[in-house]
């Protein structure tokens, strides 16, 4: 359970403060794989970053006992000038892993980068980058994984692999996911939160949720 | 599965600073010259400028060898400019790292400023070796005061950089203004001259600058015969203390907004 208590979040702009959430209270369940659905600019990514602790709400607090991953988007924390291996070790250090070498091997195996692992990330294709970012996250045990359209760029083979890894984790961990690809969402998630006009609604059935979302 | 250590807040913080520190080294020097450039670059500068100065003023300046005279000025001013320049942009540059909840903006600042300190220590070490090989008569009467001056300038630069970095989050135009801090410091900190070269009635144009004080004091600490009238270590201490405290207050008040 991730508790949002009286969250207010706004971004200052030339037209005054742009409110994303106003005094929002909501409990996000963490016992199923959840898709976050909402129109462009509804605040999906903001919600994501708030849950991950990358940003803080202007008012209110977010509390949870679960360990939550960082928001895995395409380039998060990946430095283009450093090699895949160095980036992996950086992420491992920040997250406080006790065995960096093992972590490195696991990421290499999962991302299937092979020799390219020793080359700077700027030489990677976008598919390879997303594989690296995804592998770095999956190789660490979290209770909740936050995934932001990462799997979309991978080829079908990698998607199958990602799907398998996530299903294997499903007994122990869950996913919160943002994507505009409904097929992908159906594949990974079994419930959804619809985000509209600063309000959240939890819908336990994914098909129902997608119907509702498409009517918005 | 990779196990996550149970860490105290301090351990998390130290791990993050260390990780960013390594990253700083790796990402800054990835051409063939590598990290050696960080040391060679200031050396070239110091030797070129002191060569120019000795053409103008002869081999001895105010009772010390011109080369050594220039070295103190160049070292401290360079330390200031590099640290200030790097730190004022480091928060913006490493913004994407803040996605990790363990990484706070101050960790990137600390890592970057430690890096600058490490570089200057290396430069000093190599300078000493070169001075020894050139058989320049370099005395170092009071190393402790010189060390204190270096640390003060470093802290001062880090604090000013942090203030600038925070302010430029709210006012992006400030980035373009940082040159108004950097140029005066370069020309008014006594790299080429001593305060004694300036008529006393003009001192008040110069002696507000704590870097000038630090430069003069460290020259005086190395050569007791060097006259250090009109500068004071307490002034350097006080300005560092006030600026550092002010920068930390501002950081504490605004860091959560800085994450946006």
């Amino acid at each position: 359970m991730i508790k949002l208590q009286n969250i207010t979040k706004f971004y200052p702009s030339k037209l005054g403060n742009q409110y994303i959430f106003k005094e929002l209270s909501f409990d996000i369940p963490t016992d199923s794989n959840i898709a976050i659905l909402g129109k462009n600019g509804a605040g999906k990514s903001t919600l994501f970053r708030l849950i991950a602790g990358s940003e803080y709400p202007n008012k209110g607090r977010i509390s949870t006992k679960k360990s939550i991953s960082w928001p895995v988007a395409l380039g998060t924390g990946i430095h283009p000038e450093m090699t895949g291996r160095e980036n992996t070790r950086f992420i491992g250090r920040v997250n406080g892993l006790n065995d960096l070498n093992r972590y490195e091997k696991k990421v290499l195996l999962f991302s299937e980068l092979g020799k390219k692992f020793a080359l700077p990330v700027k030489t990677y294709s976008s598919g390879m980058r997303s594989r690296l970012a995804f592998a770095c996250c999956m190789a660490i045990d979290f209770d909740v994984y936050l995934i932001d359209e990462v799997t979309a760029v991978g080829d079908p083979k990698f998607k199958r692999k990602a799907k398998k890894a996530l299903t294997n984790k499903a007994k122990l961990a869950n996913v919160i996911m943002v994507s505009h690809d409904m097929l992908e969402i159906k594949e990974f998630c079994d419930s959804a939160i619809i985000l509209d006009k600063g309000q959240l609604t939890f819908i336990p059935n994914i098909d129902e949720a997608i119907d509702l979302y498409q009517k918005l | 599965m990779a196990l996550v250590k149970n860490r105290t807040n301090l351990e998390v913080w130290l791990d993050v600073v260390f990780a960013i520190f390594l990253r700083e080294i790796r990402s800054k020097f990835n051409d063939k010259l590598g990290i050696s450039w960080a040391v060679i670059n200031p050396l070239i500068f110091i030797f070129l400028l002191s060569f120019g100065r000795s053409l103008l003023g002869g081999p001895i300046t105010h009772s010390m060898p011109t080369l050594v005279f220039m070295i103190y000025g160049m070292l401290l001013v360079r330390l200031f400019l590099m640290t200030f320049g790097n730190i004022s942009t480091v928060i913006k540059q490493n913004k994407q790292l803040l996605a990790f909840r363990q990484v706070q903006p101050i960790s990137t600042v600390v890592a970057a400023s430690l890096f600058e300190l490490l570089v200057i220590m290396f430069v000093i070490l190599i300078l000493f070796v070169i001075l020894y090989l050139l058989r320049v008569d370099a005395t170092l009467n009071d190393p402790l005061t010189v060390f204190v001056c270096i640390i003060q300038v470093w802290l001062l630069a880090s604090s000013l950089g942090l203030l600038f970095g925070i302010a430029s989050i709210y006012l992006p135009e400030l980035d373009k203004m940082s040159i108004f801090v950097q140029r005066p410091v370069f020309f008014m900190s006594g790299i080429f001259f001593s305060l004694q070269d300036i008529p006393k009635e003009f001192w008040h144009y110069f002696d507000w600058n704590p870097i000038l004080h630090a430069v003069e004091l460290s020259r005086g600490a190395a050569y007791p015969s060097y006259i250090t009238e009109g500068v004071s270590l307490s002034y350097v201490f006080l300005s560092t203390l006030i600026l550092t405290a002010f920068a930390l207050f501002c950081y504490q008040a605004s860091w959560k907004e800085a994450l946006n």
Side-chain angles (χ1 to χ4, degrees):
Chain A
M1 188 85 87
I2 303 167
K3 276 183 179 301
L4 311 181
Q5 292 162 319
N6 266 322
I7 301 288
T8 300
K9 178 75 185 173
F10 59 79
Y11 292 105
S13 75
K14 277 183 191 155
L15 305 172
N17 291 337
Q18 303 279 319
Y19 281 88
I20 314 282
F21 302 115
K22 258 185 185 166
E23 315 227 326
L24 170 77
S25 291
F26 192 77
D27 291 342
I28 300 174
T30 47
D31 47 9
S32 61
N33 296 329
I34 302 170
I36 296 181
L37 303 174
K39 286 182 276 193
N40 287 340
K44 297 185 297 284
S45 296
T46 308
L47 179 64
F48 231 54
R49 295 172 59 78
L50 286 174
I51 296 173
S54 310
E55 276 178 35
Y56 294 82
N58 298 85
K59 262 188 229 146
R61 50 177 301 203
I62 297 168
S63 54
T64 179
K65 288 201 177 74
K66 302 277 182 181
S67 65
I68 298 176
S69 80
W70 66 93
V72 188
L74 253 180
T76 325
I78 305 268
H79 196 298
E81 297 283 349
M82 301 202 308
T83 68
R85 186 186 309 276
E86 284 161 355
N87 275 302
T88 306
R89 292 184 79 89
F90 174 79
I91 290 175
R93 275 198 195 94
V94 166
N95 284 283
L97 298 182
N98 58 0
D99 190 347
L100 280 180
N101 291 331
R102 242 185 92 197
Y103 175 61
E104 197 186 295
K105 274 186 203 126
K106 271 170 55 182
V107 171
L108 176 58
L109 204 72
F110 191 87
S111 61
E112 295 175 14
L113 285 169
K115 277 185 188 158
K116 281 256 185 186
F117 200 46
L119 287 179
V121 172
K122 65 180 174 190
T123 64
Y124 291 12
S125 70
S126 58
M128 286 159 71
R129 276 180 213 211
S130 76
R131 260 150 57 192
L132 177 66
F134 192 73
C136 280
C137 188
M138 292 315 276
I140 304 179
D141 279 332
F142 289 112
D143 295 329
V144 178
Y145 292 87
L146 302 175
I147 295 180
D148 195 346
E149 313 226 28
V150 182
T151 44
V153 267
D155 51 22
K157 186 172 161 247
F158 186 73
K159 272 190 190 171
R160 275 199 299 279
K161 195 167 178 179
K163 163 93 177 151
K164 210 177 136 208
L166 284 174
T167 347
N168 282 343
K169 293 220 174 219
K171 293 158 214 147
L172 302 162
N174 287 290
V175 180
I176 299 180
M177 198 165 155
V178 170
S179 174
H180 286 285
D181 182 353
M182 289 305 135
L183 282 175
E184 195 174 299
I185 280 184
K186 268 188 193 166
E187 221 176 309
F188 285 105
C189 305
D190 35 47
S191 56
I193 289 175
I194 291 185
L195 179 52
D196 190 35
K197 300 189 182 91
Q199 291 304 315
L200 305 182
T201 331
F202 179 73
I203 294 162
N205 184 315
I206 186 71
D207 295 316
E208 209 179 299
I210 290 176
D211 280 347
L212 266 174
Y213 165 63
Q214 278 162 346
K215 277 181 204 147
L216 274 184
Chain B
M1 272 291 132
L3 285 173
V4 175
K5 285 182 284 191
N6 261 328
R7 300 179 292 176
T8 62
N9 277 345
L10 182 69
E11 282 168 331
V12 172
W13 203 79
L14 289 176
D15 278 354
V16 168
V17 169
F18 180 64
I20 298 176
F21 182 75
L22 291 183
R23 183 186 166 102
E24 190 92 346
I25 293 175
R26 277 301 298 143
S27 57
K28 264 207 187 118
F29 305 101
N30 43 17
D31 51 5
K32 284 202 180 86
L33 284 166
I35 194 159
S36 55
W37 185 243
V39 178
I40 296 170
N41 181 17
L43 286 180
I44 294 175
F45 246 93
I46 287 171
F47 278 101
L48 276 181
L49 284 178
S50 7
F51 180 67
R53 179 72 168 81
S54 64
L55 283 184
L56 288 174
I60 300 287
T61 312
H62 291 286
S63 84
M64 60 200 286
T66 303
L67 180 61
V68 184
F69 177 87
M70 291 291 292
I71 283 176
Y72 280 108
M74 283 297 295
L75 261 187
L76 288 174
V77 169
R78 213 196 126 79
L79 171 64
F80 179 86
L81 292 178
M82 292 300 287
T83 311
F84 173 78
N86 262 345
I87 295 202
S88 58
T89 55
V90 74
I91 296 183
K92 243 181 227 168
Q93 263 170 15
N94 284 328
K95 204 157 190 188
Q96 48 151 337
L97 291 188
L98 304 176
F100 298 104
R101 99 180 61 78
Q102 296 90 340
V103 181
Q104 293 173 352
I106 195 80
S107 330
T108 64
V109 170
V110 171
S113 75
L114 279 179
F115 174 74
E116 293 299 331
L117 190 64
L118 194 77
V119 168
I120 208 78
M121 290 298 164
F122 258 101
V123 173
I124 290 173
L125 208 72
I126 290 176
L127 273 173
F128 262 103
V129 173
I130 293 176
L131 285 182
Y132 176 76
L133 292 177
L134 287 177
R135 296 173 199 247
V136 176
D137 168 36
T139 48
L140 187 50
N141 184 53
D142 179 4
L144 197 60
T145 306
V146 174
F147 182 72
V148 166
C149 286
I150 294 173
I151 296 293
Q152 301 278 326
V153 170
W154 172 68
L155 263 178
L156 204 72
S158 305
S159 315
L160 261 182
L162 178 57
L163 273 175
F164 234 84
I166 295 170
S168 66
I169 290 166
Y170 297 99
L171 259 180
E173 295 81 5
L174 264 181
D175 270 354
K176 298 178 183 103
M177 305 294 156
S178 71
I179 199 154
F180 291 117
V181 175
Q182 291 173 332
R183 283 296 168 265
V185 167
F186 188 81
F187 288 111
M188 298 180 80
S189 299
I191 302 182
F192 304 99
F193 60 87
S194 155
L195 196 56
Q196 312 308 322
D197 296 334
I198 298 164
K200 263 197 184 145
E201 59 262 39
F202 296 120
W203 276 11
H204 59 274
Y205 291 119
F206 295 90
D207 65 3
W208 53 270
N209 177 2
I211 317 289
L212 173 71
H213 287 245
V215 170
E216 290 281 274
L217 284 165
S218 51
R219 283 172 184 159
Y223 288 81
S225 55
Y226 187 83
I227 303 160
T228 53
E229 207 196 319
V231 292
S232 105
L233 194 55
S234 324
Y235 179 72
V236 185
F237 271 125
L238 213 63
S239 25
T240 313
L241 189 70
I242 291 172
L243 265 174
T244 310
F246 185 59
L248 290 177
F249 285 144
C250 290
Y251 172 78
Q252 181 63 23
S254 66
W255 75 272
K256 284 193 176 169
E257 271 116 83
L259 290 177
N260 287 344

